[in-house]
Amino acid sequence: MKTKHEIGTRERIVRATSRLMQRQGYEATGLKEISREAEATLGSVYHFFPGGKQELAVAAVRHGDLEFAETLREVLDRVEDPAEAVLACTEELAAGMRDSGWLDGCPVSTVALESAGRVPDVQRAAAEAFENWRAIVSAKLRRSGFADDVAEDLAHTIINTLEGAEMSAQVSQSETPLRLAGRHLARLIAAYR
Amino acid sequence: MKTKHEIGTRERIVRATSRLMQRQGYEATGLKEISREAEATLGSVYHFFPGGKQELAVAAVRHGDLEFAETLREVLDRVEDPAEAVLACTEELAAGMRDSGWLDGCPVSTVALESAGRVPDVQRAAAEAFENWRAIVSAKLRRSGFADDVAEDLAHTIINTLEGAEMSAQVSQSETPLRLAGRHLARLIAAYR
DNA sequence: CTCTCATTAGAACGAACGCTCTATCCAGGA
DNA sequence: TCCTGGATAGAGCGTTCGTTCTAATGAGAG
């Protein structure tokens, strides 16, 4: 049975992996570091993830996927107008980034790039994350009256621009890229009205 | 003296490092692998780069910076209309990505994300690369009659959207993100005319 | 109580890591 | 001709890597 009141060991391991890989990436994050951070032993890590580091990274990417999907849904539901809603997303991202001292970027993108062409399972999980986020944005646009194909296409660029601006903001330690992305995406959405 | 006819050892090392880190990132690329790929010995690597892996990564990022700056300038000079020119950039990126079997993404972004908050020298070099590329796009927009501040701001989002779409294209192994980015950026530029 | 098995615990493995070090090579100047 | 110093060469340093393995633990079922 699961430990009743406190958080389960498996979940602690996944969260620690996600947090560490968000900040350091896949290669720079060691299993001993993960087990230390999760307050679990190496034995527990391999008990829950017999597939080792790769299986662990897939779980971490899925965790980051769900995590960001939830905040994305929340912000998009809070603001009615889709252009303003996307703008609100950039504010949210900028705030999170700044508050972490420019340490917490996208929980998926670093691992995604490192795994591309090298660790297929992880790459697939990352692609699924991007696709999930895109679907959330696409649904919002359709709810706001956009035609299906326009919404699908726009959602691609919205997510990708957010990703690019997030990376640029982190590397340059400035909110400007995200603020400009918000303004320009709002204008783009308005242009397709 | 430099070896006369053939390419210099130092240059071979930088190119090998840039190529390997483009595909594998900073952490996954070893110094022995670099020296093997560059057909140089470890002694030569440390002779030219006494600062070790970090100094090597800075040189590799600068190399990727200049490399992409050149193709960017070339494409933007070839097509007069700025919206069509940006579209041409996405075609160029899509072609390069596809032709490499989705292995060669942005020569800077993977290393940029890995180094963020962990290897300041490399992070700075990556930020400078993004800034250089932005300046090239900004100059093109100004040449096409855009006001200075509009050009500066738009250039930010153009580069960041290209980066995001490039990452998405690589991870999903599809040209679609880049094609859509081109179409939407063209529309955005037209909206600011 | 005893049995059972999911879970915890951590020592140990071979391989690879970044880096240091000494030795050698060899073209150009004196 | 000898000397000098940039360049090459690679063995080996200590450390850490991902992984494997055996043993202990401990709560619930019978």
Side-chain angles (χ1 to χ4, degrees):
Chain A
M1 288 302 111
K2 294 283 179 60
T3 330
K4 332 90 248 263
H5 12 54
E6 22 168 1
I7 199 174
T9 303
R10 191 197 148 94
E11 181 70 12
R12 281 205 322 277
I13 292 171
V14 172
R15 292 192 195 183
T17 306
S18 179
R19 188 168 51 244
L20 286 169
M21 288 193 179
Q22 176 180 28
R23 299 197 173 199
Q24 311 178 336
Y26 177 82
E27 298 288 346
T29 301
L31 292 186
K32 301 201 170 146
E33 186 181 13
I34 289 172
S35 71
R36 195 187 324 124
E37 185 83 3
E39 297 184 277
T41 64
L42 212 45
S44 298
V45 170
Y46 274 95
H47 172 74
F48 288 108
F49 301 93
K53 197 181 189 182
Q54 297 193 13
E55 187 181 346
L56 208 35
V58 169
V61 166
R62 295 226 170 97
H63 178 83
D65 175 2
L66 297 179
E67 193 180 54
F68 182 60
E70 191 173 358
T71 64
L72 194 58
R73 251 188 292 262
E74 184 201 313
V75 175
L76 293 184
D77 281 348
R78 193 170 61 217
V79 184
E80 176 143 342
D81 178 74
E84 286 174 27
V86 168
L87 198 91
C89 286
T90 62
E91 304 281 353
E92 184 84 11
L93 288 175
M97 184 81 92
R98 186 207 331 117
D99 292 351
S100 74
W102 316 101
L103 290 177
D104 293 342
C106 172
V108 169
S109 56
T110 310
V111 174
L113 284 174
E114 284 181 283
S115 69
R118 307 182 61 246
V119 197
D121 291 352
V122 178
Q123 174 175 358
R124 203 172 304 117
E128 287 169 6
F130 292 149
E131 172 57 25
N132 283 340
W133 303 342
R134 195 189 64 77
I136 292 171
V137 172
S138 172
K140 167 72 178 179
L141 291 174
R142 276 188 266 104
R143 262 183 278 132
S144 304
F146 282 84
D148 286 8
D149 55 344
V150 175
E152 296 277 311
D153 290 355
L154 264 182
H156 256 109
T157 295
I158 289 169
I159 290 297
N160 294 338
T161 298
L162 290 182
E163 285 292 334
E166 177 96 340
M167 172 172 68
S168 180
Q170 182 171 23
V171 172
S172 66
Q173 306 198 336
S174 156
E175 299 181 38
T176 304
L178 281 165
R179 302 219 111 94
L180 291 175
R183 194 199 304 168
H184 289 142
L185 284 177
R187 181 94 177 227
L188 180 66
I189 292 170
Y192 275 94
R193 268 252 112 99
Chain B
M1 288 300 113
K2 294 283 180 57
T3 331
K4 333 89 246 263
H5 11 53
E6 22 171 358
I7 197 173
T9 303
R10 191 197 145 95
E11 181 70 13
R12 282 204 321 278
I13 293 171
V14 171
R15 291 192 195 182
T17 306
S18 180
R19 189 168 52 242
L20 287 169
M21 288 193 178
Q22 175 180 30
R23 298 198 174 200
Q24 310 178 337
Y26 177 82
E27 297 289 345
T29 300
L31 292 186
K32 302 207 167 136
E33 186 181 13
I34 289 172
S35 71
R36 196 189 321 125
E37 185 83 2
E39 297 184 280
T41 64
L42 208 46
S44 297
V45 171
Y46 274 96
H47 171 74
F48 288 109
F49 302 93
K53 198 180 188 183
Q54 296 192 12
E55 187 181 344
L56 209 34
V58 169
V61 166
R62 297 227 171 97
H63 178 83
D65 174 1
L66 297 179
E67 194 180 52
F68 182 60
E70 191 172 359
T71 64
L72 194 57
R73 251 188 292 261
E74 185 200 316
V75 175
L76 293 184
D77 281 348
R78 193 170 60 218
V79 184
E80 176 144 343
D81 179 74
E84 285 174 27
V86 169
L87 199 91
C89 285
T90 63
E91 304 281 352
E92 185 84 11
L93 288 175
M97 183 81 92
R98 187 209 328 117
D99 293 350
S100 74
W102 316 101
L103 290 178
D104 292 344
C106 173
V108 170
S109 56
T110 310
V111 174
L113 284 174
E114 284 180 284
S115 69
R118 306 184 61 246
V119 197
D121 291 352
V122 179
Q123 174 174 359
R124 203 170 305 118
E128 287 169 6
F130 293 149
E131 172 57 25
N132 283 341
W133 302 343
R134 196 189 65 77
I136 291 171
V137 171
S138 172
K140 168 70 177 180
L141 291 174
R142 276 187 266 107
R143 260 182 280 135
S144 303
F146 283 85
D148 286 8
D149 55 343
V150 175
E152 296 279 308
D153 289 355
L154 265 182
H156 255 110
T157 295
I158 289 169
I159 291 297
N160 293 338
T161 298
L162 290 182
E163 285 292 334
E166 178 96 340
M167 171 173 67
S168 181
Q170 183 171 23
V171 173
S172 67
Q173 305 196 336
S174 157
E175 298 181 38
T176 304
L178 280 165
R179 301 219 112 94
L180 291 175
R183 194 198 304 167
H184 290 141
L185 284 176
R187 180 95 178 225
L188 181 66
I189 292 170
Y192 275 92
R193 267 254 115 97

